[in-house]
Amino acid sequence: MTDANTLENTLKNQQWVGGQAPTDADKTAFEALKSADLSAETHPNVFAWFCLVSKFTDAVRNSWAAAAPAKAGKGKKAEKKVEKKEDDDDLDLFGDDDEEDAEAAKEAAKKAKEDAKKKKEKKKAVAMSLVMLEVKPLDDTINLDDLANKMFTELTQDGLFWKTEYKKEPVAFGIFKLIVGFSLEDEKVSVDGVIEKIEELEDFVQSVEIMAFNKI
């Protein structure tokens, strides 16, 4: 199993190629991928596994080939198995340095996966819209410049971006309406919510209507 894509699917559900412990399959796959150009962004699980395996010495990796457990026997065979297990307990294949390296490798692999995830999230496009509103004042005594400034400074929230330029267009009988625009992040801001906030300025605003609504 030396194909990076196949390994990626396998390592989604387990830490090692051979299962829950390192085996000769990990050594073989590691040797095959030494010259591969692995990326934490495209193959995060393989990249994390490769970083972990690379922290072990060649001697330790070579020992994985003989890591198959012996079958339980009876009588003298069983005694030999107990003696072998005691000998294995005395033999520290990894050593303190290897344990520290393995822990450091796990941390490095974890950080690499987190960085790749953050980078992917940054690349995700933010859905936005551009809205133009027609705001009619309560009467002809309302100063539209003051009204526009009031909206820009008081009606603010994360994801809402007012266009500082605005227009005044005549309606009738000396009354003008205010044409304003803003862009917004669709996931954070509701157009209806912005309109409601403007209409709450009851001492200044008669009505608000949408002139244009386009996705950016």
Side-chain angles (χ1 to χ4, degrees):
M1 186 187 298
T2 57
D3 176 68
N5 293 326
T6 303
L7 278 176
E8 180 67 21
N9 291 327
T10 300
L11 293 172
K12 283 181 180 178
N13 303 313
Q14 58 195 50
Q15 184 177 7
W16 304 95
V17 176
Q20 300 308 315
T23 66
D24 58 333
D26 292 273
K27 173 180 174 293
T28 301
F30 176 79
E31 294 295 334
L33 293 177
K34 270 186 175 181
S35 59
D37 186 16
L38 295 176
S39 168
E41 183 176 351
T42 58
H43 299 86
N45 294 299
V46 176
F47 186 83
W49 164 84
F50 190 87
C51 289
L52 177 58
V53 176
S54 67
K55 288 295 181 179
F56 294 100
T57 64
D58 290 338
V60 172
R61 285 196 294 269
N62 289 332
S63 72
W64 294 345
K71 292 184 179 179
K74 296 182 180 180
K76 293 183 178 179
K77 291 183 178 180
E79 292 177 1
K80 288 182 179 179
K81 179 183 177 183
V82 173
E83 292 176 359
K84 185 177 185 304
K85 184 178 185 303
E86 291 176 351
D87 291 340
D88 288 343
D89 290 340
D90 294 334
L91 177 62
D92 187 356
L93 294 177
F94 297 94
D96 293 338
D97 291 340
D98 287 328
E99 289 178 0
E100 292 177 1
D101 288 344
E103 190 62 31
K106 288 181 181 179
E107 291 298 323
K110 181 180 179 182
K111 186 176 185 304
K113 291 176 71 174
E114 291 176 351
D115 291 344
K117 183 178 179 182
K118 290 178 181 179
K119 187 175 181 181
K120 186 175 181 180
E121 290 176 348
K122 286 182 179 180
K123 287 185 176 181
K124 184 180 179 181
V126 178
M128 298 191 67
S129 300
L130 177 62
V131 183
M132 297 297 294
L133 298 179
E134 178 184 280
V135 182
K136 292 182 180 178
L138 190 64
D139 52 43
D140 61 354
T141 64
I142 301 299
N143 186 310
L144 295 184
D145 293 317
D146 292 342
L147 175 58
N149 185 63
K150 188 177 185 68
M151 290 166 55
F152 298 158
T153 56
E154 296 183 9
L155 307 183
T156 60
Q157 70 178 93
D158 185 32
L160 173 62
F161 310 97
W162 288 103
K163 305 300 181 183
T164 55
E165 295 182 359
Y166 56 89
K167 294 194 298 184
K168 293 179 281 187
E169 296 183 354
V171 180
F173 307 108
I175 297 178
F176 285 74
K177 61 184 176 182
L178 187 65
I179 308 299
V180 295
F182 61 87
S183 57
L184 59 86
E185 295 183 21
D186 294 343
E187 292 186 358
K188 296 180 179 180
V189 183
S190 164
V191 177
D192 291 338
V194 176
I195 292 176
E196 288 177 2
K197 288 182 179 181
I198 297 175
E199 291 177 336
E200 288 175 359
L201 302 174
E202 299 176 350
D203 295 336
F204 303 91
V205 177
Q206 178 188 106
S207 64
V208 181
E209 294 182 3
I210 299 176
M211 291 183 63
F213 190 143
N214 298 300
K215 294 290 183 181
I216 300 178

